[in-house]
Each structure stands twice: as structure tokens, then as C-alpha cells.
Amino acid sequence: MGRYVARRLLLTIPVMLGASILIFAMVYALPGDPIRALAGDRPVSPAVVQVLTERFHLDDPLWVQYWEYLKGLFQGDLGTDFRGRPVLDTIERTLPVTIRLTIVAVIFEIIIGLAAGVLAGIRRNSFFDNLVLVSTTVIVAIPILVLAFIAQLLFGLKLGWFPIAGTREGWYSYVLPGLVLASGSLAYVARLTRTSIAENLRADFVRTAKAKGLPPRRIIVQHTLRNSLIPVVTFIGADIGALLGGAIVTETVFNLPGIGREVFDAIRAQEGAVVVGIVTLMVFFFIFFNLVVDVLYAVLDPRIRYD
Amino acid sequence: MTDQQQADLRKDEIEAGTTTGLASPSVDVTSDRQNSLWSDAWVALKRNPFFWIGAVLTVVFTVMAIVPQLFARGQDPRACDLANSRGLPSAEHWFGYDVQGCDYLATVVYGARNSLIIGIFAVVVILVLGVAVGAIAGYFGGVTDGVLSRIADIFYALPLILGALVLLRVGPETSIPIINSRGPGAVALALALFGWMTAMRLVRSQVIAVRNSDYVAAARAMGAGNTRILVRHILPNAVAPVLVYTTITIGVIIAAEATLTYLGVGLQRPAFSWGLQIEAGQDAIRSAPHLVLFPSIVLTLTVMAFILMGDALRDALDPRQRA
């Protein structure tokens, strides 16, 4: 296992480098004059242009710029935006919002998704089972953008239960965006749990448990559920990595100042350092949680061995 | 095929959504008549109500994209009167009016064309890229496979919307044709560029799965070259999962296009696009919620049409799912 983890960790290095080069190239290699964009209509003196150009290595070839960036990165310096604010500060300011949003979303996935999946899986072909099937099919097909507006209209404006923008009401303001963000994964968790439980109920070890006269409750909880949850736990694990990076739409519509909205604002303003910094962080989350999940799989399911 | 390869294949298929990967193999060999995969699939499809809902919706929206006039109830989406601004739905004007006072039903109906064009164009590019790269990686293996798979990993780690967002933001300032056009072609290409990896992995897995089979060895013994073996003997095996993936992906791309356009980097005014309509309507969400609601509903139905058909196809084409 140790060797497997080490090899996987080594493999993440080229992927992280590659992803950051890709974003870096798109942001920096293309023409466009960020100094002019920053100044807007005001005239800029040649001296200022020269200082800014040198500080941000705007005249150097791409690979020099990237090398300078990497050197900074290894010293914990992600660079500064054009107003001189360190990118690290921006991340420290916005990341907690995204983490809170992710926590709320995962809680929804676990509570609603798991409960619906377990009940549907135990009572296959019941009314509830069909309800879960149809509603998950519909939810998966609704674009998150549309879902966000429906939630705002229904729960925010019509019913007035939840705030529809900002973070002023603490954790409560995360409920609605968290539910919207979780919706797709929630439906997937429900389906995964349902199929997994239905499969395991037909497995030999469940038949054995029944044959030796165990009470139904124990069969469901100890023998079926614990085995059925393995794919669900790993899906949720991988989803955390995706949620931490994929909330651009939700954060924008609900006006939450997290890294998703921050990176969107930075892309619009062509703040290269901020974009590259945050995207590299997102890629790291994605790869890290996928690695955790693969290891977790072997821990939870003794049939899987990597060495 | 080794156990490891078998496991990889399952994992790729699950990630692509072409199988749930949970059902155990149960093929009924005692049946007196052996049907082909496709005729079995058709029998299963015909009985699936979700497939018919998806198919009917797809036909409706395809016709809407080709001849929007049929659905616009005689209204011209460019003939606007500011006096009607934000007018509510009525018997005459089912969807009411938008901010500019244009008939909203006509405006929404005309949006279907761009969505479908982008969905189909992007998926064609994804297929070409995915099949080509996947087949090469899977068939030649070794270093070729290693390099191509790492490149796919790199793209895979970037969220689709995020990658396309960056490319479309800087695209208009470049001299790359199509990408700098701010049109449907640019949006489709950007989405394809950050969305080809799953198709590639799918094809690669299938190619590895059949590469060492006896009939491929037989073809080689008869003197068939690499290209012929790939095209005639290996790729046809990948058609079923790729077809499922393609159908679902058209829906996913249409949703992504609306999102990018909503975020301001996709299609630009005066194009007809549901993303633009949602974006324009959100400012009036309190006083005229129908401006957000109608394009949202139509967008959702379009996306749902393709996802429903893809789901039904998957259930029909995956013999492992049949109990």
C-alpha cells in the first residue's frame, strides 16, 4: 500500500504541472495589455509601464514567466494581482466560504441521498422506489443554473424561507446554495445506493445470514448496508474534490464570495496570477481527493489489493 | 484480459456513465434463440417510457431548431415594441414579452437552433478527438499510451466550465480562427477541447479489452494492417458505450453552453440563446419571473431529452444489467 501511494503521489506531479502550464499558457501567452486594462481611460507614464512590465515579467518569453512563477510557488509565494495584493491572501479570504458550501452540500448528499437510496433499495418496485427513480432522473437533467434560479424563486422569493444572496446569515445562508450545488450528486448517491443495496440483497452472504435465522434488521444494517456503502462512500469522497473546485455558477448566482466566484471575476479581469493560483489549487483538491478515494477503497473492501 | 485491465475498463465505463457497474454478469445462455445486441436493445428500448419521452422531445426541439417559425405563432422575435416591455403571459402571447418588448415565445423558440448546433458540433469534435486519441493509445500501448493518457489526465483535472471559460475569455483577442469568433463555433470548440477525455478513455479501454482477442490475432495472421484491424475489427466493439456517452453528452454540452453564455463568455447579443435570456431576465426576477422561467424550462426539457434517451440506451445496451 505504501508503495502504491508513493507511486500515485509521484504521478500527480506531471498532471499538476501540466494543468497549471495549460492555464498559464492560456492566460499569459495570448495578446492583450493588462497594464492598459488596469489603467482604463487614464494615461499611464512610460516609467510606470516599465516597472509593471518588469515586475510581472510581461516582456519575457512564456517559459521564463512560468519558471519565475514556479520559483515563487516553491517559496510559498503565489504572486500578487495587479493591485499588489498577494494571491495567497485572496485564497485565504475566499476558501473558507467554498469549504463551508462544500460541507453543507455533502451533508445534503449524505442525509437525503443515502436515505432515499436505502429506502428505495430495500423496497424495490414500491411506490417510493419509483418516485426516487423518476425524481432523480429529472434532477440530474436540470442544469445547475436553472436549479439555482428555481430555488431562488421558490424558497427565497415566494416562500421567503431562505436568503437568496450573500453570507450575512452565517451557516443559514449556505442552505439553499448548498442544496442546489448538491442536487446532481445527491441524485447520483440515491441511485448508487439503491442499485448497490438491491444487488447485495441478492448476494450469497445475505442468503446465508437469512438461512441462519438472523433478524431482518441485523441483515439489513450489518450485512447489506455496510457492504453497499463502499461505492457510495468513495463517490462522495471524489465528489468533495470536485465540489471544492466546481462552484462557479452556484457562487455567482447566490453571490457567495468563494474561490469559484473569485476565479470567475479574475478570469473576466484577466488577473493571470489569481487565475493560475486558484486553478492550481482546484486541480490539487481534485487529484488529492481522488487519491484518497482509491486508498479508501482498498481499506473498506479487503478484496482490493494494490500491491 | 487481465483482472487489472478488466477493473480499469469497468472504472472507465462507470465514469463515462455508460454503465452503473453494479449488476453482476448474468447472460442467459439457455435461451433457444440468440439475438444480436442491437435487436435485443431495440426490444428493451421500445418498452421504456423514458426513451419515448426523450425521443419525442428530441424530435420536437430538432424541428424547432430547423424551422422555428412553426412554433413562434406567427410572431417575429425581432419585431419589438418597448411599450410591451416585460408584459406578462396572455392568451395571445403565451410567454409574454421580454425587457425590449419582443414576443417572448418567439424569442425562446429561436434559441433552440444555437443550442442544438453547439451541442452536436461539440460532440462531433469530441468523438473525432476521443476516438482517434483513444484508439491510438489503446492499440499501441507503452510509451504512446503513457503520454496520451497523462495528457488526458491533465485535461480531466480541469473542470469543463472553468477551462472553457478561460479559453473563451481570451479567445477573441487571439488570431486563432473560429476560437476568436465569439460565435457558436468558438463555444463548441472550447467545450470539446475540455471535454474529449472521457470519450478517449472509453475507446482506449475497449480497444485494450479486445486487442488481444483471437479474432484480432486471426485478422493479423491474414495480413491485415494496423489501420484495418483498428477500424474494421476493434472500433465496432466500442460503438455501444460511445453511443450512450454521445447521447448524454449532447445534453451536458447544451447545459454547459447556456451556463457559459449566462456567464458572459459564450454567445453574444443579438444572438438568440437561452443563456442570454436567463441572464437578461435575472435582473427582473422579482417583478417578471417569467423572463427567467420560460427559457429555463425549455433549456431543461432539451437537456432532459438527451439524458433520458442516453439513460434508456444504456439500460438497453448493457447486457450485464439484465436480470
Side-chain angles (χ1 to χ4, degrees):
Chain A
M1 183 62 98
R3 274 186 56 204
Y4 171 77
V5 173
R7 208 180 66 217
R8 280 288 303 266
L9 277 175
L10 279 179
L11 268 179
T12 62
I13 295 173
V15 174
M16 288 211 31
L17 279 181
S20 76
I21 290 175
L22 189 66
I23 286 290
F24 198 90
M26 280 201 290
V27 175
Y28 284 100
L30 298 160
D33 186 349
I35 297 173
R36 182 125 302 279
L38 181 69
D41 297 334
R42 286 164 297 162
V44 196
S45 74
V48 172
V49 172
Q50 198 191 344
V51 168
L52 285 177
T53 307
E54 265 170 35
R55 185 188 304 161
F56 296 110
H57 306 281
L58 292 177
D59 268 352
D60 292 327
L62 182 69
W63 61 268
V64 175
Q65 293 189 31
Y66 186 72
W67 179 242
E68 291 297 329
Y69 182 79
L70 266 192
K71 274 203 298 198
L73 193 65
F74 281 114
Q75 293 159 2
D77 175 17
L78 288 173
T80 58
D81 62 17
F82 288 125
R83 288 193 195 81
R85 287 176 305 194
V87 175
L88 208 57
D89 287 4
T90 307
I91 290 176
E92 272 172 20
R93 180 166 46 83
T94 51
L95 189 58
V97 174
T98 301
I99 291 177
R100 262 174 246 146
L101 184 61
T102 302
I103 291 174
V104 173
V106 170
I107 290 175
F108 273 121
E109 279 177 30
I110 293 173
I111 295 178
I112 304 180
L114 263 188
V118 169
L119 289 177
I122 294 175
R123 300 213 172 81
R124 198 96 191 243
N125 294 325
S126 65
F127 170 75
F128 186 77
D129 182 28
N130 284 311
L131 184 73
V132 167
L133 255 186
V134 173
S135 56
T136 50
T137 308
V138 172
I139 289 173
V140 166
I142 305 180
I144 205 153
L145 180 66
V146 171
L147 215 53
F149 281 117
I150 293 175
Q152 281 191 332
L153 270 173
L154 192 65
F155 297 112
L157 295 173
K158 276 262 176 328
L159 298 170
W161 291 351
F162 300 102
I164 59 167
T167 54
R168 256 171 306 164
E169 294 183 38
W171 284 93
Y172 196 56
S173 13
Y174 289 93
V175 174
L176 207 50
L179 185 61
V180 168
L181 184 62
S183 60
S185 311
L186 188 156
Y188 193 78
V189 167
R191 289 204 144 194
L192 199 61
T193 314
R194 172 186 175 274
T195 328
S196 180
I197 284 194
E199 280 306 318
N200 274 321
L201 278 176
R202 275 186 277 165
D204 290 343
F205 57 82
V206 171
R207 192 169 351 138
T208 309
K210 270 185 206 155
K212 66 184 185 187
L214 286 182
R217 194 184 180 79
R218 196 174 158 79
I219 296 175
I220 297 282
V221 176
Q222 289 285 323
H223 293 257
T224 315
L225 254 186
R226 285 184 56 169
N227 278 298
S228 306
L229 289 186
I230 295 173
V232 180
V233 168
T234 52
F235 170 78
I236 291 177
D239 201 42
I240 294 175
L243 287 176
L244 281 174
I248 295 179
V249 178
T250 315
E251 290 182 359
T252 305
V253 174
F254 286 96
N255 202 13
L256 302 175
I259 56 171
R261 213 195 64 181
E262 186 65 36
V263 81
F264 174 53
D265 289 343
I267 290 170
R268 279 198 299 193
Q270 288 195 296
E271 281 278 12
V274 183
V275 177
V276 177
I278 293 183
V279 171
T280 310
L281 185 72
M282 288 174 171
V283 171
F284 168 76
F285 283 142
F286 180 83
I287 294 175
F288 176 76
F289 279 97
N290 268 294
L291 176 63
V292 170
V293 160
D294 281 356
V295 174
L296 202 63
Y297 225 119
V299 174
L300 292 177
D301 189 341
R303 285 170 299 187
I304 294 172
R305 284 280 167 265
Y306 288 122
D307 289 322
Chain B
M1 191 161 42
T2 65
D3 284 354
Q4 181 61 43
Q5 283 171 344
Q6 192 103 42
D8 283 349
L9 175 63
R10 301 294 292 157
K11 198 174 171 220
D12 286 341
E13 285 185 338
I14 292 164
E15 275 177 9
T18 56
T19 176
T20 54
L22 290 161
S24 51
S26 59
V27 180
D28 184 11
V29 288
T30 57
S31 125
D32 40 351
R33 202 162 51 90
Q34 284 286 313
N35 288 328
S36 80
L37 174 70
W38 297 100
S39 64
D40 272 354
W42 176 236
V43 171
L45 268 188
K46 274 196 295 193
R47 282 198 227 112
N48 190 337
F50 286 128
F51 170 75
W52 288 110
I53 298 173
V56 168
L57 283 174
T58 307
V59 171
V60 169
F61 286 113
T62 311
V63 175
M64 191 184 284
I66 300 169
V67 269
Q69 293 84 350
L70 281 181
F71 295 83
R73 302 189 77 232
Q75 299 290 326
D76 180 355
R78 298 282 187 219
C80 312
D81 183 355
L82 269 177
N84 294 326
S85 177
R86 293 183 190 175
L88 293 175
S90 62
E92 265 308 292
H93 299 275
W94 292 354
F95 285 12
Y97 295 93
D98 71 3
V99 180
Q100 307 292 329
C102 315
D103 181 75
Y104 210 38
L105 176 69
T107 316
V108 171
V109 161
Y110 274 73
R113 183 175 294 171
N114 275 327
S115 283
L116 282 185
I117 286 178
I118 290 172
I120 291 167
F121 181 40
V123 165
V124 168
V125 179
I126 286 175
L127 279 186
V128 171
L129 265 175
V131 171
V133 180
I136 292 171
Y139 188 70
F140 293 104
V143 181
T144 320
D145 183 26
V147 171
L148 292 175
S149 293
R150 286 299 83 69
I151 293 176
D153 283 350
I154 289 170
F155 279 87
Y156 211 74
L158 292 169
L160 173 70
I161 293 285
L162 187 69
L165 195 60
V166 176
L167 185 60
L168 287 172
R169 173 64 184 84
V170 292
E173 291 162 27
T174 65
S175 50
I176 311 165
I178 304 185
I179 290 288
N180 66 4
S181 69
R182 284 179 173 270
V187 180
L189 269 190
L191 286 169
L193 193 62
F194 289 94
W196 55 275
M197 301 77 61
T198 308
M200 175 267 181
R201 287 187 174 182
L202 208 54
V203 174
R204 172 182 170 273
S205 302
Q206 304 284 342
V207 169
I208 290 176
V210 289
R211 186 178 55 185
N212 300 321
S213 62
D214 287 344
Y215 68 86
V216 170
R220 180 165 294 124
M222 308 244 291
N226 279 341
T227 318
R228 188 178 166 82
I229 290 178
L230 257 176
V231 173
R232 294 297 299 272
H233 297 281
I234 292 186
L235 285 182
N237 278 289
V239 167
V242 169
L243 184 71
V244 173
Y245 169 77
T246 306
T247 318
I248 295 176
T249 303
I250 295 179
V252 173
I253 295 282
I254 289 176
E257 179 273 321
T259 306
L260 288 171
T261 301
Y262 165 81
L263 291 173
V265 293
L267 298 176
Q268 307 293 323
R269 265 171 258 285
F272 291 109
S273 161
W274 297 327
L276 283 173
Q277 290 156 16
I278 294 173
E279 194 263 334
Q282 71 168 342
D283 295 331
I285 196 166
R286 284 166 200 272
S287 57
H290 68 278
L291 293 182
V292 168
L293 213 54
F294 287 124
S296 298
I297 292 171
V298 180
L299 169 67
T300 303
L301 287 178
T302 313
V303 175
M304 200 179 291
F306 289 102
I307 290 183
L308 285 180
M309 281 208 303
D311 269 356
L313 269 175
R314 174 187 55 213
D315 293 346
L317 283 171
D318 191 349
R320 281 173 292 222
Q321 296 232 330
R322 285 196 207 119

